[in-house]
Amino acid sequence: MSDDVRYPDWIAVDWGTSNLRVWAMTAEGEMLAHNGSDAGMSTLEPADFEVTLLAHIAPWLPAGRTTPVIACGMVGSRQGWAEAPYRAVPCPPSGVLIDVPCKDARITMHILPGLKQEKSADVMRGEETQIAGFLAREPRYDGIVCLPGTHTKWAQISAGEVVSFQTFMTGEMFDLLSHASVLRHSLGEGKALDEASFADAVSDTMSRPEAVATQLFKIRAADLLFGASEAVCRGRLSGLLLGLELAAARPYWLGQPVCLVGAPSLNTLYAKALVIQGLEAPQYDADEMTLWGLSAAYKESFS
Amino acid sequence: MSDDVRYPDWIAVDWGTSNLRVWAMTAEGEMLAHNGSDAGMSTLEPADFEVTLLAHIAPWLPAGRTTPVIACGMVGSRQGWAEAPYRAVPCPPSGVLIDVPCKDARITMHILPGLKQEKSADVMRGEETQIAGFLAREPRYDGIVCLPGTHTKWAQISAGEVVSFQTFMTGEMFDLLSHASVLRHSLGEGKALDEASFADAVSDTMSRPEAVATQLFKIRAADLLFGASEAVCRGRLSGLLLGLELAAARPYWLGQPVCLVGAPSLNTLYAKALVIQGLEAPQYDADEMTLWGLSAAYKESFS
């Protein structure tokens, strides 16, 4: 490589169940390059992790120097590269890095642990780093952070600590019902979502949560009998499930400030449902917050 | 074939989405033989149906005589052999047979139509024949028939008619969550179900239906943190979903006689959940009721 190639001071890694993302970072927090693939934790055996990581970051590693790698996510689970034991809430979102032995001398590997809640059992891996990043951006925030995703988390934040949290499988339920259940015939493969149907469905399960059990099949029945469009069916399914989540998460959002930290499209969907409840929720991009969180961990331990 | 082979007077067929079952029947209702396979409606193109049926019943068909075949289930849907248009409730469960043209002169083909409910959209195909069979057995029954299955139906029966009904995707949700979601890691592949966990979970969602949204992930979290057994996790998932169904179906069963018409294992599960609500529900085997229902249709049209 030519002399003017700038090598990163450290490497940020978000390694989840189904994806791996890596960023080449300077000590000052500038991103020099990024890379990613679907080499998620669930596809790998323990022996594969180091090789897989190196395949994604090798061009960024100069000879004769050690570059620290800081990772968050399911890579730190029991089935991951190395277990980073959960820390119990209440606690700050970011904890001490777990050092993982590597064969390649060009890197040192460090994993951020997840959080656990023993009373009202719950766990998170990865979202704690998004919360840490959010608090790096909004250090005085006191209130609720909602992190929409496959497994949405609602976390209560106070005095820089995660006080409590709850997980909702809404995203996974939507994926299963829309792609693998009888409803797939009515939803099709598109993404479009009818907003009025979504809003009505949110209200339906907010006011009568148990109705979700019978309203789900009615999506199919209404299509068979009256020919509802795919966007209407999709809006209805999404709204029913999100309304159920909001009904259960009510103690989290009622009368509280709420910030959303997720992918932009999911943030928008949640914001729409919350506006119906009279709540304006500022939106933060989850990837950005992950990078802020990993950067905060780097600064704390290496600079 | 030897002279003492007794050929059936007619053939009963239950042809669902994923299974085909056929019975060789006498005019008096005696079953001479039966057969079945996984050649369900969803695996077949319209042109395949007659060939597939003949492959299952050919040895029962004498030359030079026409044997009527009476079928119920998804075979009568738009994607089936021939559409048997839904009949609107309130109406008796069994309607006029739809004649379907056949190429083979040894059979005539007749399909029982399903039921539809336009207000509070809902549909059924196959269960109406089980209800007809149940009413052939219990002609004076007035009350609720619950038909547990992949898509459980609750039907209100009065004066020999189906007055209204509701469908619950509880069985399909259980299958998807236990085999395709993150919960599969905690439930494993077994069938065992812890009864105390089941009963507690039924009560949890009966008293607070919206809690199902957060209780589902706690099955996984409790396993990760405290090592719950697969039977406990399975009991909990089954109970949470069935409790939600019972909460929504309350107008159907509260203060009403309820009879269960399903596979014996599912009947037992529903009976256990209903006993917790102080309700004793007699159990009827769904296959038997299907055969009673098809027999009633045969008698009405052919004898």
Side-chain angles (χ1 to χ4, degrees):
Chain A
M1 286 181 125
S2 69
D3 282 351
D4 58 355
V5 166
R6 189 174 170 196
Y7 289 106
D9 296 306
W10 66 287
I11 292 164
V13 176
D14 183 9
W15 208 333
T17 303
S18 46
N19 288 290
L20 166 60
R21 265 122 23 106
V22 295
W23 296 271
M25 304 293 292
T26 69
E28 295 72 36
E30 190 190 341
M31 193 227 293
L32 302 175
H34 63 93
N35 195 359
S37 79
D38 57 0
M41 182 275 288
S42 66
T43 66
L44 301 174
E45 296 297 317
D48 303 334
F49 281 91
E50 185 171 340
V51 178
T52 304
L53 177 65
L54 288 169
H56 287 76
I57 64 169
W60 303 341
L61 302 176
R65 173 156 75 78
T66 299
T67 305
V69 178
I70 301 181
C72 67
M74 293 300 286
V75 66
S77 69
R78 207 172 298 165
Q79 291 77 33
W81 187 341
E83 186 173 5
Y86 295 112
R87 300 158 56 237
V89 294
C91 65
S94 189
V96 174
L97 291 167
I98 306 297
D99 300 335
V100 180
C102 287
K103 290 177 188 160
D104 193 304
R106 291 174 297 169
I107 58 170
T108 61
M109 182 71 197
H110 316 274
I111 299 181
L112 279 164
L115 301 184
K116 68 177 172 183
Q117 177 174 271
E118 297 196 338
K119 197 176 163 182
S120 184
D122 220 321
V123 292
M124 66 167 75
R125 280 202 191 274
E127 294 89 351
E128 76 295 330
T129 303
Q130 295 175 25
I131 297 173
F134 171 81
L135 284 175
R137 274 279 297 270
E138 309 284 355
R140 279 189 289 272
Y141 185 72
D142 211 295
I144 302 301
V145 176
C146 170
L147 304 108
T150 304
H151 296 158
T152 296
K153 313 278 177 183
W154 289 77
Q156 184 191 353
I157 309 297
S158 184
E161 294 199 329
V162 178
V163 178
S164 73
F165 64 99
Q166 280 201 320
T167 302
F168 295 84
M169 292 173 60
T170 309
E172 186 162 26
M173 297 259 283
F174 180 83
D175 288 344
L176 289 173
L177 288 169
S178 60
H179 295 127
S181 86
V182 68
L183 302 184
R184 71 186 184 280
H185 303 299
S186 296
L187 267 71
E189 289 301 321
K191 293 270 178 200
L193 184 150
D194 180 76
E195 301 222 349
S197 304
F198 171 78
D200 285 350
V202 167
S203 299
D204 284 355
T205 44
M206 289 286 296
S207 60
R208 218 169 73 82
E210 71 275 20
V212 72
T214 176
Q215 291 297 326
L216 288 176
F217 187 76
K218 290 193 187 303
I219 294 172
R220 179 70 184 139
D223 176 25
L224 285 169
L225 297 181
F226 311 120
S229 77
E230 292 182 356
V232 163
C233 294
R234 193 172 299 110
R236 185 125 190 102
L237 175 60
S238 178
L240 288 174
L241 295 176
L242 192 44
L244 188 69
E245 175 178 330
L246 290 185
R250 204 186 297 262
Y252 273 76
W253 55 260
L254 194 66
Q256 298 260 28
V258 174
C259 287
L260 291 163
V261 175
S265 60
L266 272 181
N267 278 346
T268 304
L269 198 67
Y270 273 69
K272 275 178 190 152
L274 287 169
V275 156
I276 304 172
Q277 321 311 321
L279 217 145
E280 291 279 353
Q283 301 176 33
Y284 296 77
D285 183 90
D287 286 350
E288 273 180 46
M289 294 306 101
T290 297
L291 218 41
W292 276 73
L294 291 166
S295 297
Y298 170 77
K299 277 177 205 150
E300 179 127 355
S301 296
F302 292 93
S303 64
Chain B
M1 286 181 122
S2 70
D3 281 349
D4 57 355
V5 167
R6 187 171 171 197
Y7 289 105
D9 296 305
W10 66 287
I11 292 166
V13 176
D14 183 8
W15 208 333
T17 304
S18 47
N19 288 289
L20 166 60
R21 265 122 25 105
V22 294
W23 295 271
M25 304 293 293
T26 69
E28 295 73 36
E30 189 190 343
M31 193 227 294
L32 303 175
H34 62 93
N35 195 359
S37 79
D38 57 1
M41 181 275 287
S42 66
T43 66
L44 301 174
E45 296 297 318
D48 302 335
F49 281 91
E50 184 171 340
V51 177
T52 304
L53 177 66
L54 287 169
H56 287 77
I57 64 170
W60 304 340
L61 302 176
R65 174 156 74 80
T66 300
T67 306
V69 178
I70 302 180
C72 68
M74 293 300 286
V75 66
S77 68
R78 206 170 299 164
Q79 292 76 35
W81 186 342
E83 186 172 6
Y86 295 113
R87 298 159 56 238
V89 295
C91 65
S94 189
V96 174
L97 291 166
I98 306 297
D99 300 334
V100 180
C102 286
K103 288 176 188 158
D104 193 304
R106 291 174 297 168
I107 58 171
T108 60
M109 181 71 195
H110 316 274
I111 299 181
L112 280 164
L115 300 184
K116 68 178 173 183
Q117 176 174 271
E118 297 197 337
K119 197 177 163 182
S120 185
D122 219 323
V123 292
M124 66 167 74
R125 279 203 190 273
E127 294 88 352
E128 77 294 329
T129 302
Q130 295 173 26
I131 296 173
F134 171 82
L135 284 175
R137 273 278 297 272
E138 310 284 354
R140 278 189 292 272
Y141 185 72
D142 211 294
I144 302 301
V145 176
C146 169
L147 305 109
T150 303
H151 296 159
T152 296
K153 313 278 177 183
W154 290 77
Q156 185 191 353
I157 310 296
S158 185
E161 294 200 330
V162 178
V163 178
S164 73
F165 64 100
Q166 281 200 320
T167 302
F168 295 84
M169 292 174 61
T170 308
E172 185 162 26
M173 297 261 282
F174 180 83
D175 289 343
L176 289 173
L177 288 169
S178 60
H179 296 126
S181 86
V182 69
L183 302 183
R184 72 186 184 280
H185 302 300
S186 297
L187 267 71
E189 289 300 321
K191 294 270 178 199
L193 184 150
D194 181 76
E195 301 221 350
S197 304
F198 172 77
D200 286 350
V202 168
S203 299
D204 284 355
T205 43
M206 289 286 296
S207 60
R208 218 168 72 81
E210 71 274 22
V212 71
T214 174
Q215 291 296 326
L216 289 176
F217 187 76
K218 290 193 187 304
I219 294 172
R220 179 70 184 139
D223 177 25
L224 285 170
L225 298 181
F226 312 120
S229 77
E230 291 183 356
V232 162
C233 294
R234 194 172 299 109
R236 186 125 190 100
L237 176 60
S238 178
L240 288 174
L241 295 176
L242 192 43
L244 187 70
E245 175 177 330
L246 290 185
R250 203 185 299 260
Y252 274 77
W253 54 261
L254 194 67
Q256 297 261 27
V258 175
C259 287
L260 290 163
V261 175
S265 59
L266 270 183
N267 277 347
T268 305
L269 198 67
Y270 272 70
K272 277 178 189 152
L274 287 169
V275 156
I276 304 172
Q277 322 311 321
L279 217 145
E280 292 279 353
Q283 300 176 32
Y284 296 77
D285 184 90
D287 286 351
E288 273 179 47
M289 293 306 102
T290 298
L291 218 39
W292 277 73
L294 291 166
S295 297
Y298 170 76
K299 277 177 208 152
E300 180 127 356
S301 296
F302 292 93
S303 64

